[in-house]
Amino acid sequence: MSMRKWMWALLLLIPVIELFGFILMSDWIGAGKTLLLMILTSLIGIAMLQFEGRKVLMDAKQEMERGKVPGRKMVDGLFVFVGGFLLLIPGFVTDLIGFTLVFPLTRPVYRLFFLGWLEKKMRNGSITFYRRPK
């Protein structure tokens, strides 16, 4: 399936899943508490995003000051950004994925899969990196 078809599928599927989750949670704890819980998870997520985002930036800056390329920190920064975006979208599934992307203990799992995917794309020629001549 092409990337464009995957994007359309996700664009249609995510709201359906989130609505289903909202209805289930509303039946379980009530609509008001469900709405409050969604707002609370977004606020906690925003706070985590700010804290972890600053931490990733500081770590990247320290690595650059030591003369190292902050490759892993750049990937972590990408995950924190995507996780923060998902936390801003109302819903429980996106919040769960967003929290695991922002949370430093679960981020390495995503990094492992992402770097494996990136390596595969580089091997088959889908992604090419060019170096500038010195």
Side-chain angles (χ1 to χ4, degrees):
M1 191 185 259
S2 73
M3 181 64 107
R4 188 170 291 172
K5 288 181 183 177
W6 275 109
M7 295 302 282
W8 279 110
L10 285 175
L11 205 60
L12 296 171
L13 195 60
I14 289 173
V16 170
I17 292 170
E18 293 295 3
L19 182 61
F20 183 70
F22 185 83
I23 291 169
L24 281 177
M25 193 63 90
S26 293
D27 286 344
W28 190 39
I29 64 172
K33 290 179 184 175
T34 301
L35 194 57
L36 185 64
L37 185 62
M38 285 176 67
I39 293 169
L40 186 63
T41 58
S42 291
L43 292 175
I44 291 170
I46 289 169
M48 280 182 69
L49 172 64
Q50 288 178 341
F51 177 77
E52 285 301 317
R54 280 192 204 110
K55 187 174 178 299
V56 166
L57 286 174
M58 291 296 290
D59 290 347
K61 182 180 175 186
Q62 287 175 352
E63 284 197 14
M64 285 189 288
E65 287 172 353
R66 284 189 239 137
K68 296 181 180 178
V69 176
R72 196 192 95 192
K73 298 299 176 187
M74 298 295 280
V75 172
D76 283 354
L78 173 69
F79 290 153
V80 168
F81 175 77
V82 170
F85 178 74
L86 290 174
L87 287 167
L88 294 175
I89 298 171
F92 295 110
V93 175
T94 52
D95 282 352
L96 179 66
I97 296 168
F99 275 122
T100 58
L101 280 167
V102 172
F103 194 62
L105 296 177
T106 52
R107 206 178 308 137
V109 175
Y110 288 101
R111 189 182 322 118
L112 181 71
F113 285 110
F114 177 74
L115 292 176
W117 172 83
L118 188 63
E119 183 180 349
K120 180 182 169 188
K121 291 292 185 180
M122 287 172 62
R123 280 196 179 142
N124 73 15
S126 298
I127 296 176
T128 307
F129 286 97
Y130 296 100
R131 289 187 163 170
R132 280 197 239 163
K134 291 184 179 184

